[in-house]
């Protein structure tokens, strides 16, 4: 049909539809909370930069740490099923660690703030290592072919 909304496909068989939207799963509350916490952490780093008038090395380092936490969490959430209780608890713990670390966005490398940010990074790294170990454990019996093998390889 001239509007592009129907007709038969090129093989002459079934009905085709153009512009059909495929529904997606709703965003979980933990993912929304992660987004809010990440924006808060970046805002605190941005406020520190704005108040000093320059991008200092500690501010840049804290931004990189917060970026890595967010990217690892988003990466895990898009690759694996994060709707189970352990995945949601890990995300919430990362959120609280990120909030605690963002309190030190004004800190210098010599102060307790740097120790807090590095402690946050270490804690979140341990959480992600535990998640990858869990994924590996779940797929450890997968054969050399197929999705299970690829998931296991990614987890290591």
């Amino acid at each position: 049909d001239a509007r592009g909304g129907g007709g038969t496909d090129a093989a002459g068989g079934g009905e085709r539809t153009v512009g059909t939207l495929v529904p997606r799963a709703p965003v979980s509350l933990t993912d929304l909370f992660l987004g809010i916490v990440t924006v808060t952490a970046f805002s605190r780093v941005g406020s520190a930069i704005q108040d000093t008038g320059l991008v200092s090395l500690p501010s840049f380092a804290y931004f990189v740490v917060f970026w890595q936490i967010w990217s690892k969490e988003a990466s895990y959430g898009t690759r694996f099923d994060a709707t189970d209780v352990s995945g949601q608890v890990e995300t919430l713990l990362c959120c609280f660690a990120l909030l605690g670390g963002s309190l030190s966005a004004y800190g210098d490398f010599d102060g307790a703030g740097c120790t807090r940010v590095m402690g946050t990074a270490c804690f979140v790294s341990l959480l992600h290592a535990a998640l990858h170990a869990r994924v590996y454990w779940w797929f450890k019996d997968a054969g050399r072919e197929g999705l299970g093998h690829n998931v296991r390889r990614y987890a290591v």
Side-chain angles (χ1 to χ4, degrees), residues 112-124:
C114 181
T115 305
R116 187 180 302 129
V117 172
M118 293 305 117
T120 297
C122 181
F123 176 70
V124 171

PDB file of all heavy atoms in Angstrom, residues 112-124:
ATOM      1  N   ALA A 112      41.580  13.247  54.044  1.00  0.00           N
ATOM      2  CA  ALA A 112      40.790  12.028  54.258  1.00  0.00           C
ATOM      3  C   ALA A 112      39.810  11.794  53.117  1.00  0.00           C
ATOM      4  O   ALA A 112      39.369  10.663  52.904  1.00  0.00           O
ATOM      5  CB  ALA A 112      40.035  12.133  55.582  1.00  0.00           C
ATOM      6  N   GLY A 113      39.485  12.835  52.381  1.00  0.00           N
ATOM      7  CA  GLY A 113      38.556  12.693  51.260  1.00  0.00           C
ATOM      8  C   GLY A 113      39.087  11.768  50.178  1.00  0.00           C
ATOM      9  O   GLY A 113      38.350  10.972  49.610  1.00  0.00           O
ATOM     10  N   CYS A 114      40.359  11.861  49.911  1.00  0.00           N
ATOM     11  CA  CYS A 114      40.973  10.988  48.905  1.00  0.00           C
ATOM     12  C   CYS A 114      40.914   9.539  49.361  1.00  0.00           C
ATOM     13  O   CYS A 114      40.624   8.640  48.572  1.00  0.00           O
ATOM     14  CB  CYS A 114      42.413  11.402  48.649  1.00  0.00           C
ATOM     15  SG  CYS A 114      43.226  10.393  47.399  1.00  0.00           S
ATOM     16  N   THR A 115      41.147   9.323  50.646  1.00  0.00           N
ATOM     17  CA  THR A 115      41.060   7.970  51.187  1.00  0.00           C
ATOM     18  C   THR A 115      39.646   7.432  51.047  1.00  0.00           C
ATOM     19  O   THR A 115      39.441   6.261  50.717  1.00  0.00           O
ATOM     20  CB  THR A 115      41.488   7.968  52.670  1.00  0.00           C
ATOM     21  OG1 THR A 115      42.783   8.534  52.777  1.00  0.00           O
ATOM     22  CG2 THR A 115      41.480   6.565  53.236  1.00  0.00           C
ATOM     23  N   ARG A 116      38.651   8.279  51.257  1.00  0.00           N
ATOM     24  CA  ARG A 116      37.262   7.868  51.125  1.00  0.00           C
ATOM     25  C   ARG A 116      36.928   7.501  49.681  1.00  0.00           C
ATOM     26  O   ARG A 116      36.278   6.490  49.418  1.00  0.00           O
ATOM     27  CB  ARG A 116      36.328   8.973  51.608  1.00  0.00           C
ATOM     28  CG  ARG A 116      34.881   8.534  51.641  1.00  0.00           C
ATOM     29  CD  ARG A 116      33.926   9.618  52.130  1.00  0.00           C
ATOM     30  NE  ARG A 116      34.291  10.067  53.453  1.00  0.00           N
ATOM     31  CZ  ARG A 116      34.451  11.345  53.790  1.00  0.00           C
ATOM     32  NH1 ARG A 116      34.278  12.295  52.893  1.00  0.00           N
ATOM     33  NH2 ARG A 116      34.769  11.688  55.015  1.00  0.00           N
ATOM     34  N   VAL A 117      37.386   8.286  48.720  1.00  0.00           N
ATOM     35  CA  VAL A 117      37.119   7.998  47.310  1.00  0.00           C
ATOM     36  C   VAL A 117      37.824   6.719  46.879  1.00  0.00           C
ATOM     37  O   VAL A 117      37.240   5.873  46.184  1.00  0.00           O
ATOM     38  CB  VAL A 117      37.522   9.188  46.406  1.00  0.00           C
ATOM     39  CG1 VAL A 117      37.423   8.819  44.942  1.00  0.00           C
ATOM     40  CG2 VAL A 117      36.631  10.380  46.692  1.00  0.00           C
ATOM     41  N   MET A 118      39.066   6.534  47.298  1.00  0.00           N
ATOM     42  CA  MET A 118      39.779   5.313  46.939  1.00  0.00           C
ATOM     43  C   MET A 118      39.170   4.091  47.629  1.00  0.00           C
ATOM     44  O   MET A 118      39.127   2.995  47.057  1.00  0.00           O
ATOM     45  CB  MET A 118      41.269   5.429  47.286  1.00  0.00           C
ATOM     46  CG  MET A 118      41.997   6.459  46.445  1.00  0.00           C
ATOM     47  SD  MET A 118      41.812   6.174  44.671  1.00  0.00           S
ATOM     48  CE  MET A 118      40.941   7.636  44.169  1.00  0.00           C
ATOM     49  N   GLY A 119      38.677   4.255  48.853  1.00  0.00           N
ATOM     50  CA  GLY A 119      37.958   3.182  49.528  1.00  0.00           C
ATOM     51  C   GLY A 119      36.679   2.823  48.799  1.00  0.00           C
ATOM     52  O   GLY A 119      36.320   1.649  48.677  1.00  0.00           O
ATOM     53  N   THR A 120      35.991   3.835  48.290  1.00  0.00           N
ATOM     54  CA  THR A 120      34.786   3.609  47.492  1.00  0.00           C
ATOM     55  C   THR A 120      35.123   2.819  46.240  1.00  0.00           C
ATOM     56  O   THR A 120      34.443   1.851  45.897  1.00  0.00           O
ATOM     57  CB  THR A 120      34.141   4.961  47.098  1.00  0.00           C
ATOM     58  OG1 THR A 120      33.735   5.638  48.288  1.00  0.00           O
ATOM     59  CG2 THR A 120      32.953   4.780  46.186  1.00  0.00           C
ATOM     60  N   ALA A 121      36.191   3.223  45.553  1.00  0.00           N
ATOM     61  CA  ALA A 121      36.595   2.521  44.331  1.00  0.00           C
ATOM     62  C   ALA A 121      36.974   1.075  44.630  1.00  0.00           C
ATOM     63  O   ALA A 121      36.597   0.160  43.885  1.00  0.00           O
ATOM     64  CB  ALA A 121      37.763   3.249  43.675  1.00  0.00           C
ATOM     65  N   CYS A 122      37.671   0.838  45.724  1.00  0.00           N
ATOM     66  CA  CYS A 122      38.074  -0.517  46.096  1.00  0.00           C
ATOM     67  C   CYS A 122      36.852  -1.365  46.443  1.00  0.00           C
ATOM     68  O   CYS A 122      36.740  -2.517  46.005  1.00  0.00           O
ATOM     69  CB  CYS A 122      39.038  -0.453  47.267  1.00  0.00           C
ATOM     70  SG  CYS A 122      39.625  -2.071  47.795  1.00  0.00           S
ATOM     71  N   PHE A 123      35.924  -0.817  47.212  1.00  0.00           N
ATOM     72  CA  PHE A 123      34.718  -1.540  47.599  1.00  0.00           C
ATOM     73  C   PHE A 123      33.894  -1.925  46.378  1.00  0.00           C
ATOM     74  O   PHE A 123      33.453  -3.069  46.237  1.00  0.00           O
ATOM     75  CB  PHE A 123      33.893  -0.674  48.564  1.00  0.00           C
ATOM     76  CG  PHE A 123      32.592  -1.282  48.962  1.00  0.00           C
ATOM     77  CD1 PHE A 123      32.561  -2.397  49.794  1.00  0.00           C
ATOM     78  CD2 PHE A 123      31.394  -0.737  48.525  1.00  0.00           C
ATOM     79  CE1 PHE A 123      31.345  -2.962  50.168  1.00  0.00           C
ATOM     80  CE2 PHE A 123      30.185  -1.300  48.891  1.00  0.00           C
ATOM     81  CZ  PHE A 123      30.160  -2.413  49.719  1.00  0.00           C
ATOM     82  N   VAL A 124      33.705  -0.988  45.459  1.00  0.00           N
ATOM     83  CA  VAL A 124      32.916  -1.266  44.258  1.00  0.00           C
ATOM     84  C   VAL A 124      33.634  -2.280  43.369  1.00  0.00           C
ATOM     85  O   VAL A 124      32.998  -3.152  42.774  1.00  0.00           O
ATOM     86  CB  VAL A 124      32.592   0.047  43.500  1.00  0.00           C
ATOM     87  CG1 VAL A 124      31.976  -0.222  42.156  1.00  0.00           C
ATOM     88  CG2 VAL A 124      31.665   0.911  44.344  1.00  0.00           C
TER      89      VAL A 124
END
